[in-house]
Amino acid sequence: MIPYTDPNAWRIAMDASEATLSAGHRSGDFDGSFYLSPAGSLAGFTLRLSLPGAPELLWESVSLEGGSEIRGSSRLLLGGRAARADVSGFCAHVPVGQTGSSYLKIVLAATFSPLRLRWPRWRLRPVTLRLFTEIRPTVSG
């Protein structure tokens, strides 16, 4: 088994990743990092998302709690403004055939108040940010 504490043993599977905003935007273009606990659960993340016609978004959270069901607080930075919201989701270990190894499937969501962000397109309603991604071993096990 590949240790979860070795960051060189894992990669974000961009072909299985997508970030969406309830405002109708999609971002396949993001980078950042995930922080895993020694047991392999999601402990935190920092993601930078590029959206057409928008300032870069920075979405981050640390000290996430839970095993497969995740809860915590996150922060979104947009054009020099910040908003906080609860984040929830799951981090599931998905077995790979009969090899004994697995990859992590991560789904996260947070809803941010439009008044805190003050970006014209989001002025009237809350914005929900969702992330679907997988963290896979860099080597087959």
Side-chain angles (χ1 to χ4, degrees):
M1 171 169 268
I2 301 169
Y4 293 106
T5 54
D6 179 3
N8 295 321
W10 299 94
R11 67 178 178 84
I12 298 172
M14 294 308 293
D15 60 328
S17 299
E18 181 180 73
T20 60
L21 290 163
S22 59
H25 297 288
R26 290 185 184 269
S27 175
D29 187 17
F30 67 89
D31 65 3
S33 11
F34 291 97
Y35 312 102
L36 302 177
S37 72
S41 62
L42 184 63
F45 63 90
T46 301
L47 300 172
R48 285 174 298 286
L49 299 105
S50 298
L51 300 171
E56 181 180 73
L57 297 172
L58 178 66
W59 186 24
E60 61 185 3
S61 183
V62 295
S63 302
L64 293 175
E65 296 179 359
S68 59
E69 288 189 37
I70 299 164
R71 299 239 180 267
S73 178
S74 66
R75 180 173 76 146
L76 184 68
L77 299 171
L78 173 69
R81 301 201 188 277
R84 293 192 182 278
D86 290 339
V87 64
S88 62
F90 73 86
C91 178
H93 296 261
V94 179
V96 178
Q98 297 179 8
T99 65
S101 65
S102 64
Y103 65 91
L104 300 176
K105 177 80 166 174
I106 297 172
V107 178
L108 299 170
T111 301
F112 294 90
S113 167
L115 298 175
R116 304 285 285 168
L117 295 172
R118 295 187 202 162
W119 196 49
R121 291 182 159 172
W122 301 339
R123 187 171 302 164
L124 302 177
R125 56 190 167 145
V127 174
T128 300
L129 183 57
R130 289 184 181 88
L131 175 72
F132 304 91
T133 194
E134 294 176 359
I135 299 179
R136 296 180 185 161
T138 55
V139 295
S140 60

